[in-house]
Amino acid sequence: MPALKYSAAALASFVVLMSSTYTALAEDLKIGPTGETLSVEASPALAEKLPADLRGGTLKIVTDPSAPPYTFYQADGSTLTGSDVDLGNAIAAKLGLKAEWSTVKFPGIIASIEAGRFDLAITSMGDTPAREQKVDFVDYSTDGNAIVVAKGNPLGIKTIADLCGKSAAVLQGSVMQGLVEKQNEKCGDKPIKIQVFPDINQALLQVRTQRADASMYQYGVAAYIIKTSPDAANLEVLSFEQYGSGYNAMPFKKTSTALRDAVQAALTEMKAEGSYGKILAAWGMEANGLDKITVNDGLRFNQPSN
């Protein structure tokens, strides 16, 4: 077979083509409330870890947009934003994929993952031993939970034990529901009247309208809602004690181990190169970051949940 010969011009064109192809793998994303630019470079090595039918395609992500600053709607009422959205978009870009977002109420998210409707969820969900029986998790940050009361705390609630004999509105299927139910077992003849709702805003509404004495939610979310929403101006988050601190984690179908491990590897690389930290910092959540991205580590915090 004769040796192949290429002109200098042809070789130069080939180098330019390869260079432009490589450059195209970098995607500029807008992150944080101010929309600063974050450039994320796709990793061919990480993309190889994906299932073959997913490579170069779409990553289907589901969330519940009722937990700012993690996930919520912009002022137009239809555009998703938040730290979880920024992380999801960056993970997809790192894996050479396009993120496709859908929304589901929190109580239905795990069932939707089990049914294979979506590839994963990013919705500030806790990794708990009970949930690990149904799905796998990649742990990506931490948070704690705090009691929410009417402004001025007229009932003088100081700890979760003070909820005994009072009414508390909580999010269905949440760690907070588990915490209140666990406390209720200690209340004896003064049980907590627990009200359960599919949306945290409905739970907070009960406190705002004095139909419940208190609620409990992730401290960062509750503080953000009270600070930014005029409707929540008559609420107060009790910051002096937090309960059930634990991971925020992304659930995956039990059979999606290749995707799970690819996402863990992508987050690990993003942490090493700084993009993970930049996203958290853009939302003022640096303290929530992890030193190590883990899988199914819920027993470390052992949060209660349904």
Side-chain angles (χ1 to χ4, degrees), residues 32 36 40 47 87 95-96 125 128 144-145 172 191 230 304:
E36 62 185 278
V40 178
L87 276 173
L95 294 172
M125 176 179 286
T128 72
N145 307 287
Q172 180 183 348

Side-chain angles (χ1 to χ4, degrees), residues 90-109:
I91 290 167
K94 175 59 66 177
L95 294 172
L97 303 172
K98 289 293 183 182
E100 178 183 289
W101 290 88
S102 299
T103 60
V104 170
K105 291 290 186 183
F106 187 89
I109 284 180

